[in-house]
Amino acid sequence: MGSLRLIKPLFFILAAAHFIFPTTSQPDFLFRTCSNNSNYTKNSTFSKNLSNVLLSISSNTRFNNYSFYNATSGHNPDRATALALCRGGVPLEQCRSCVYNSTLRITQDCPYQKEAAGWYQDCQIRYSNNSIYGMEDSSPQVFFWNLRTADDPVGFNDALWNLLDGLRKEAALGSSVLKSAWGGEKIRSPSMDTVYGLVDCYPDLSYLGCFDCLRNLQTIIPSCCNASIGVRLIATSCQLNYEFHPIYPLPPTPPPPPYSPPPPPSPLALLSPTSSPKPGTLMGKN
Ligand SMILES: *[C@@H]1O[C@H](CO)[C@@H](O)[C@H](O)[C@H]1NC(C)=O
Ligand SMILES: *[C@@H]1O[C@H](CO)[C@@H](O)[C@H](O)[C@H]1NC(C)=O
Ligand SMILES: *[C@@H]1O[C@H](CO)[C@@H](O)[C@H](O)[C@H]1NC(C)=O
Ligand SMILES: *[C@@H]1O[C@H](CO)[C@@H](O)[C@H](O)[C@H]1NC(C)=O
Ligand SMILES: *[C@@H]1O[C@H](CO)[C@@H](O)[C@H](O)[C@H]1NC(C)=O
Ligand SMILES: *[C@@H]1O[C@H](CO)[C@@H](O)[C@H](O)[C@H]1NC(C)=O
Ligand SMILES: *[C@@H]1O[C@H](CO)[C@@H](O)[C@H](O)[C@H]1NC(C)=O
Ligand SMILES: *[C@@H]1O[C@H](CO)[C@@H](O)[C@H](O)[C@H]1NC(C)=O
Ligand SMILES: *[C@@H]1O[C@H](CO)[C@@H](O)[C@H](O)[C@H]1NC(C)=O
């Protein structure tokens, strides 16, 4: 297993580079939205139930080893439900810290709103007086992207679309506690670089809810950030990110598949880049 030891430090370097050269200058806190259509007062029944669920979520992180947490408290019309999710590949300790911080930060940012959502570097959170468990919400769609574009945009987009199509299906097929997928795809020659992606849905969504939410984000890419070398898109129920380096350090096993040169592109493939799907080279998940 000597070769694995060679691979591991490489991932650390790539992971560190992520923080030195992020897609944009992304702070820990990315974005939040507070609904304007329902407010609560400081010591109302709702506010107590909301404190309960946020406390419950941050203590849940100590008892289960998933990166998804949900809690509900009270009865209509004062019922509060909260969901929190770490991105796929976030180490558990980092996840706990992010979720804990998010429960504090979201109520400071949205002090009287019955419905809110927040996104952080490693996790996201949402709560409401309405029933949100299992409900897809593809809004709002905020994006961060790198101004640099790929040197070979056609080959790049080809690889990117294969990657994102595969990850979207894999995430949607996930379990009720994990609907995240990550992996990499080699760009065809001459580039030979690998583009890495990470997609996450709240795992309480159905297959279709997750698939649809991620597809809504993916379809924005050509108009917002065509061929950008790094993009992060966020919606209430899902998010999508790709970069030229692994987004979180990949687990050291399994080793990457042996490299085999792709067939030279046919003239048809050059004329019509989206019509020539290549077999994926997804990796990363255990
Ligand atoms: C809430 O209202 C404020 C001020 O009217 C507005 O700026 C903000 O965009 C609204 N937020 C949402 C989520 O509608
Ligand atoms: C909630 O509070 C905000 C800020 O005070 C106000 O703009 C908004 O109209 C309120 N919404 C409702 C439904 O009362
Ligand atoms: C609200 O808080 C005040 C002071 O903290 C307290 O005196 C009052 O009883 C509280 N009201 C309710 C309905 O809990
Ligand atoms: C979570 O993981 C830790 C360390 O691997 C283990 O000790 C603990 O039993 C696990 N908890 C659950 C609920 O599986
Ligand atoms: C989330 O809530 C549902 C419904 O209350 C419950 O069945 C499920 O066990 C919870 N899942 C987690 C991961 O806490
Ligand atoms: C919701 O809050 C009210 C008021 O504090 C409390 O009486 C009730 O027990 C709470 N519900 C739950 C399930 O904790
Ligand atoms: C949530 O609060 C809003 C505004 O107060 C209300 O219209 C809505 O019916 C509430 N939802 C539930 C499930 O009670
Ligand atoms: C949580 O907040 C603490 C204190 O501000 C900070 O040191 C820590 O890095 C934060 N955790 C994450 C995951 O952002
Ligand atoms: C995106 O870039 C590719 C390659 O340059 C180009 O073929 C395509 O038309 C562009 N798409 C949009 C929507 O601009």
Side-chain angles (χ1 to χ4, degrees):
M1 286 286 177
S3 64
L4 290 184
R5 275 192 213 104
L6 289 175
I7 290 165
K8 213 172 170 184
L10 176 65
F11 288 136
F12 275 106
I13 293 161
L14 291 171
H18 177 48
F19 297 104
I20 302 165
F21 306 111
T23 287
T24 55
S25 60
Q26 289 183 6
D28 284 347
F29 167 75
L30 301 179
F31 188 70
R32 55 134 169 102
T33 161
C34 314
S35 165
N36 281 345
N37 51 28
S38 51
N39 295 335
Y40 67 88
T41 48
K42 268 281 175 266
N43 75 14
S44 60
T45 307
F46 180 81
S47 90
K48 283 171 187 148
N49 289 328
L50 180 61
S51 309
N52 280 350
V53 291
L54 294 177
L55 195 62
S56 157
I57 273 186
S58 45
S59 52
N60 268 349
T61 62
R62 272 180 270 127
F63 303 121
N64 89 30
N65 290 338
Y66 306 128
S67 47
F68 172 58
Y69 311 99
N70 79 65
T72 182
S73 169
H75 303 283
N76 280 341
D78 295 311
R79 190 167 72 140
T81 303
L83 309 173
L85 173 70
C86 290
R87 301 171 73 202
V90 176
L92 211 51
E93 278 311 311
Q94 205 173 320
C95 173
R96 287 171 176 151
S97 166
C98 185
V99 169
Y100 175 74
N101 287 2
S102 75
T103 60
L104 303 181
R105 174 83 195 239
I106 192 71
T107 44
Q108 284 163 18
D109 287 345
C110 306
Y112 48 76
Q113 288 89 352
K114 285 187 179 174
E115 191 162 83
W119 292 263
Y120 307 82
Q121 187 57 261
D122 298 324
C123 66
Q124 61 189 99
I125 190 168
R126 65 184 291 214
Y127 63 76
S128 180
N129 71 316
N130 288 312
S131 151
I132 51 173
Y133 189 84
M135 301 290 178
E136 179 203 349
D137 181 352
S138 304
S139 68
Q141 293 152 347
V142 175
F143 34 93
F144 303 86
W145 75 98
N146 195 310
L147 292 176
R148 260 192 65 200
T149 53
D151 295 335
D152 165 26
V154 174
F156 172 78
N157 280 342
D158 218 10
L160 178 64
W161 244 243
N162 271 350
L163 174 68
L164 295 179
D165 287 348
L167 293 179
R168 186 176 72 239
K169 282 185 204 120
E170 188 185 336
L173 283 169
S175 69
S176 63
V177 292
L178 180 74
K179 282 195 174 68
S180 295
W182 57 91
E185 174 101 10
K186 272 217 159 62
I187 300 164
R188 70 172 176 228
S189 76
S191 154
M192 295 311 203
D193 287 329
T194 300
V195 56
Y196 295 90
L198 168 62
V199 301
D200 306 276
C201 290
Y202 275 112
D204 52 302
L205 295 186
S206 65
Y207 173 88
L208 277 179
C210 176
F211 192 90
D212 185 63
C213 188
L214 290 173
R215 191 181 47 197
N216 286 344
L217 290 184
Q218 193 179 331
T219 55
I220 298 171
I221 295 172
S223 49
C224 77
C225 6
N226 196 13
S228 161
I229 59 165
V231 167
R232 183 163 177 189
L233 301 170
I234 60 183
T236 302
S237 294
C238 67
Q239 58 175 301
L240 179 163
N241 187 193
Y242 73 79
E243 306 283 348
F244 264 103
H245 50 76
I247 289 157
Y248 289 101
L250 293 172
T253 51
Y259 170 67
S260 59
S266 68
L268 183 64
L270 287 173
L271 287 172
S272 148
T274 54
S275 70
S276 60
K278 295 191 302 270
T281 52
L282 298 183
M283 53 189 233
K285 271 303 252 294
N286 289 333

